[in-house]
């Protein structure tokens, strides 16, 4: 693949494109330029600058040729057949659990299919136990198979993983899984517009069905749910969050596991009850700024985005130069870049789980 096409798929290109898309839509439909917009842009700029600095340093160290890979250059990954069968068993188990949830809660419930599923998941907290974790085994299998060119098996595994996501009516979960598989396909086999269009169409069709079934499609024009999720976050941040920071609720930035450990060590868990945001029932999307700004202020946004720029540069470099496991578990890290206009999504425990599942499947040393 050419250096130009690899650049299109680079994390810095993705974050600039989707960050710019959300910014443009916000200015067009919802609000004028404000301090929130400035912080938003500077944060993305810090990501890009430190990404490029790190990339330049790696290029000098290892040579620019490491950044020019062709599909034939990607190493085939062949794990133990017994391990593959075990992963398939867990993936199918997750699919069966998802079907049970869909029919017992969604179909047999009183409201619409996805309304019932979403209500059970978010309000009643009544999902099938461990079903989400099992769905990640199917996702890793799908990425593994698309990496190795077994597209039918990849689609089957992806279907099982998407069933799990649909059983909770999680629109963002759909994006995480579809973007992971699509990204690896494009990275290994080249950028093709029809493939991008097909992936985007599947995602939009699924989220639209969920939104209309759950009664969250919004209105027309600026009230349409896709436009609001893409562009309204900065306006919501400006109205509900800007000026309120220094709240030591660390799980907003570092996730429910590591962040909660920090909260316990700092004896700050009670501060999580006072996180700024919109009142119940109002639009509660605030872009990637929300978590780092609330905890650390604007300077924290800049520092964290700079660190992420360095990390993503290293990850993309190893995906191209070492391949294998690095491509497989880096696939899910595309998701928080795409949702930069939506929320801070760099803290999900799913990334750790995918990494742990991927390493036995495609060990680093091969």
């Amino acid at each position: 693949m050419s250096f130009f096409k690899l650049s299109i798929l680079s994390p810095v290109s993705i974050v600039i494109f989707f960050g710019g898309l959300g910014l443009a839509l916000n200015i067009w439909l919802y609000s004028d330029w404000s301090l929130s917009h400035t912080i938003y842009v500077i944060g993305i700029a810090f990501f890009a600058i430190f990404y490029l600095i790190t990339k330049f340093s790696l290029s000098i160290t290892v040579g620019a040729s490491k950044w020019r890979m062709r599909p034939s250059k990607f190493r085939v990954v062949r794990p133990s057949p017994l391990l593959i069968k075990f992963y398939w068993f867990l993936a199918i188990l997750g699919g069966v659990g998802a079907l049970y949830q869909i029919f017992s809660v969604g179909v047999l419930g009183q409201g619409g299919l996805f309304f019932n599923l979403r209500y059970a998941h978010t309000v009643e907290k009544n999902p099938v136990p461990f079903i989400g974790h099992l769905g990640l085994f199917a996702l890793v299998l799908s990425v593994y198979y698309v990496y190795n060119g077994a597209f039918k098996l990849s689609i089957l595994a992806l279907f099982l993983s998407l069933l799990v996501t649909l059983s909770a009516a999680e629109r963002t979960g759909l994006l995480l899984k579809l973007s992971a598989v699509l990204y690896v396909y494009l990275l290994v086999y080249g950028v093709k517009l029809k493939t991008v269009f097909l992936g985007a169409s599947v995602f939009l069709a699924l989220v639209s069905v969920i939104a209309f079934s759950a009664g969250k499609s919004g209105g027309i024009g600026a009230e349409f749910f896709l436009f609001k999720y893409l562009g309204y976050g900065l306006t919501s941040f400006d109205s509900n969050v800007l000026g309120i920071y220094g709240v030591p609720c660390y799980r907003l930035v570092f996730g429910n596991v590591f962040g909660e450990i920090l909260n316990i060590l700092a004896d700050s868990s009670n501060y999580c009850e006072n996180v700024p945001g919109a009142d119940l029932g109002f639009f509660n999307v605030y872009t990637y700024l929300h978590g780092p700004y609330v905890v650390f202020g604007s300077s924290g946004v800049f520092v964290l985005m700079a660190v992420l720029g360095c990390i993503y540069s290293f990850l993309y470099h190893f995906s191209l130069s070492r391949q294998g496991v690095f491509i497989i578990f880096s696939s899910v890290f595309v998701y928080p870049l795409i949702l930069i206009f939506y929320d801070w999504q760099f803290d999900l425990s799913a990334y750790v789980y995918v990494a742990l599942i991927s390493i036995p499947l495609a060990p680093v040393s091969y």
Side-chain angles (χ1 to χ4, degrees):
M1 198 190 310
S2 69
F3 179 77
F4 174 73
K5 288 184 176 179
L6 284 175
S7 297
I8 292 175
L9 294 174
S10 72
V12 71
S13 299
I14 294 170
V15 78
I16 289 174
F17 175 80
F18 286 99
L21 179 62
L23 177 67
L25 201 58
N26 178 268
I27 295 296
W28 178 41
L29 292 176
Y30 301 111
S31 62
D32 297 323
W33 195 275
S34 70
L35 179 59
S36 298
H37 297 78
T38 301
I39 299 171
Y40 178 88
V41 170
I42 293 176
I44 292 175
F46 266 73
F47 180 98
I49 291 168
F50 280 84
Y51 177 95
L52 294 173
I53 290 173
T54 306
K55 178 184 181 299
F56 179 72
S57 301
L58 289 169
S59 297
I60 293 175
T61 304
V62 302
S65 62
K66 290 292 186 180
W67 297 87
R68 296 179 173 90
M69 302 298 296
R70 298 188 301 275
S72 61
K73 294 284 187 178
F74 284 93
R75 299 183 182 94
V76 175
V77 177
R78 290 190 174 90
S80 163
L82 184 61
L83 180 67
I84 289 289
K85 290 178 181 178
F86 178 63
Y87 277 23
W88 270 113
F89 170 74
L90 295 177
I92 292 171
L93 190 63
V96 171
L99 287 174
Y100 172 80
Q101 182 81 357
I102 289 170
F103 282 100
S104 64
V105 176
V107 175
L108 300 180
Q110 298 299 314
L113 171 65
F114 291 109
F115 174 84
N116 294 337
L117 292 172
R118 194 62 186 158
Y119 187 85
H121 182 76
T122 58
V123 179
E124 295 179 341
K125 308 294 183 183
N126 187 33
V128 176
F130 303 111
I131 188 174
H133 300 84
L134 295 174
L136 293 178
F137 283 91
L139 172 62
V140 170
L141 280 174
S142 182
V143 173
Y144 159 77
Y145 280 118
V146 78
Y147 173 82
N148 286 298
F151 301 126
K152 291 181 180 179
L153 288 173
S154 176
I155 291 172
L156 176 59
L158 179 61
F159 173 74
L160 291 173
S161 189
L162 292 179
L163 271 181
V164 172
T165 304
L166 289 172
S167 71
E170 290 182 324
R171 287 169 288 183
T172 54
L174 294 174
L175 180 61
L176 186 154
K177 294 174 178 181
L178 287 170
S179 64
V181 176
L182 178 62
Y183 182 74
V184 172
Y185 177 87
L186 296 175
L187 186 62
V188 178
Y189 302 99
V191 178
K192 299 175 182 178
L193 289 178
K194 65 178 181 181
T195 307
V196 176
F197 178 78
L198 177 61
S201 298
V202 171
F203 170 70
L204 291 175
L206 289 173
V207 298
S208 296
V209 169
I210 292 174
F212 281 100
S213 176
K216 294 185 177 182
S217 59
I220 59 174
E223 292 301 312
F224 183 53
F225 78 100
L226 283 177
F227 288 165
K228 270 218 158 182
Y229 279 114
L230 275 167
Y232 195 76
L234 272 170
T235 300
S236 188
F237 177 88
D238 201 44
S239 302
N240 300 289
V241 181
L242 185 64
I244 307 172
Y245 55 88
V247 181
C249 179
Y250 297 109
R251 66 169 178 251
L252 289 175
V253 176
F254 302 110
N256 291 329
V257 179
F258 183 59
E260 192 55 39
I261 292 173
L262 291 178
N263 280 336
I264 293 171
L265 292 175
D267 193 24
S268 60
S269 296
N270 58 310
Y271 286 97
C272 293
E273 299 175 2
N274 301 314
V275 172
D279 293 333
L280 187 65
F282 289 87
F283 195 76
N284 60 350
V285 170
Y286 314 106
T287 79
Y288 80 95
L289 295 176
H290 183 246
Y293 180 85
V294 167
V295 179
F296 300 112
S298 56
S299 59
V301 172
F302 306 149
V303 171
L304 285 168
M305 290 300 284
V307 171
L308 283 171
C310 296
I311 292 173
Y312 269 90
S313 192
F314 272 105
L315 189 58
Y316 192 57
H317 164 71
F318 283 114
S319 292
L320 297 181
S321 61
R322 295 292 300 277
Q323 305 152 44
V325 68
F326 293 102
I327 288 180
I328 292 174
F329 73 65
S330 69
S331 62
V332 295
F333 288 95
V334 176
Y335 163 78
L337 299 179
I338 294 174
L339 283 189
I340 203 78
F341 58 82
Y342 173 80
D343 192 17
W344 177 265
Q345 296 281 287
F346 298 97
D347 60 336
L348 301 184
S349 56
Y351 308 138
V352 178
Y353 299 144
V354 167
L356 293 174
I357 295 169
S358 300
I359 290 172
L361 194 65
V364 175
S365 56
Y366 45 77

